[in-house]
Amino acid sequence: MNFCETAYASVTARVAAARQAAGAPAVALVAVSKTQPATAVRALAACGQRAFGENYVQEAIAKQADVADLPLEWHLIGPLQSNKCREAAQHFDWLQSLDRLKLVAPLARYRPPARAPLNVLVQVNVDDEASKSGCRPDEVAALAAAVAAQPRLRLRGLMAIPAPAPERERRRAAFDRMRTLFDALRADHAQVDTLSMGMSDDFELAIAAGATMVRVGTLLFGARAP
Ligand SMILES: *Cc1c(COP(=O)(O)O)cnc(C)c1O
């Protein structure tokens, strides 16, 4: 097996084991391909991976063109600027980083009628740090309601990037707060089924706390160039 096959087998086995330990029905794996070339996406797709995550709209569009022959699912996971709403709505299957109301109407307006509604996750700043992206926990309900009111958008759940904390306890606490917000959102919106949290360093901890989707880059592709 080459690096990519070995890495894919290892990550999918670890996700499956964590899923089973948590008693969760399913956990989706999004391969984070930011800064990686299209050849790396193609290699991982050959292993069976379908969902890929990108942080930058422009970089993603160029890469997507190189692998347009493959049936892939694209997730935008980086901060979205208002002037990129049209391209985001046109070129992705999922937007995981919705963090403010003013993006909702443009995303819906620009979603091409021929495509399925854009799947949307509300990104939450679960640590309450001013520097990080994501809405405040007390803003989730209003943002979610705005998304749910748009037929061209499909509210699917929540996403978070907890601040890196050396202590597992602090990370676990952030994941647990997300799980609580997720359960509350599900009580209001029956279609909500996705809690996206956990990366290379902590995806098993996230799955134990209730993640239904993890976003893994480094472990699948190797370290990114600085
Ligand atoms: C880069 C990134 C990831 C993947 O991080 P790794 O540590 O390389 O697994 C996941 N989610 C988001 C939002 C990212 O920006």
Side-chain angles (χ1 to χ4, degrees):
M1 291 203 286
N2 60 31
F3 173 82
C4 162
E5 288 165 333
T6 310
Y8 185 66
S10 156
V11 170
T12 51
R14 286 174 59 185
V15 168
R19 179 199 66 72
Q20 197 170 19
V27 175
L29 171 65
V30 175
V32 177
S33 48
K34 65 184 177 209
T35 79
Q36 306 294 345
T39 49
V41 170
R42 191 174 288 281
L44 201 62
C47 297
Q49 179 64 21
R50 285 288 165 267
F52 289 85
E54 290 281 340
N55 286 56
Y56 305 102
V57 172
Q58 252 27 72
E59 178 190 341
I61 292 175
K63 214 174 291 184
Q64 288 166 354
D66 286 342
V67 291
D69 55 311
L70 301 177
L72 304 182
E73 178 183 285
W74 291 96
H75 295 236
L76 182 58
I77 61 174
L80 179 60
Q81 299 165 270
S82 1
N83 64 359
K84 292 286 192 311
C85 279
R86 181 199 288 260
E87 284 163 309
Q90 288 173 340
H91 292 274
F92 289 86
D93 301 289
W94 289 69
L95 170 66
Q96 296 206 11
S97 48
L98 181 78
D99 61 356
R100 54 200 193 280
L101 268 174
K102 67 182 264 207
L103 304 179
V104 173
L107 285 167
R109 177 168 355 114
Y110 291 127
R111 183 63 174 172
R115 297 196 59 176
L118 179 68
N119 296 293
V120 176
L121 301 181
V122 173
Q123 183 180 349
V124 185
N125 178 356
V126 70
D127 299 300
D128 245 340
E129 284 177 27
S131 60
K132 301 222 19 202
S133 45
C135 72
R136 293 195 315 266
D138 64 5
E139 295 172 323
V140 168
L143 257 174
V147 173
Q150 294 284 354
R152 298 306 296 143
L153 307 179
R154 184 174 291 148
L155 176 69
R156 298 295 295 269
L158 300 177
M159 184 272 247
I161 316 171
E167 323 87 67
R168 283 173 66 86
E169 295 312 312
R170 269 189 54 196
R171 287 201 208 187
R172 178 65 200 238
F175 289 144
D176 286 343
R177 285 199 295 281
M178 285 302 300
R179 172 60 187 269
T180 301
L181 289 170
F182 178 62
D183 288 343
L185 187 66
R186 256 198 308 200
D188 288 344
H189 300 276
Q191 75 275 34
V192 163
D193 59 3
T194 303
L195 178 55
S196 172
M197 58 186 191
M199 319 202 298
S200 288
D201 269 353
D202 54 14
F203 69 86
E204 282 144 328
L205 199 59
I207 292 170
T212 70
M213 181 179 277
V214 295
R215 310 175 309 268
V216 176
T218 307
L219 276 183
L220 288 170
F221 293 107
R224 286 180 289 276

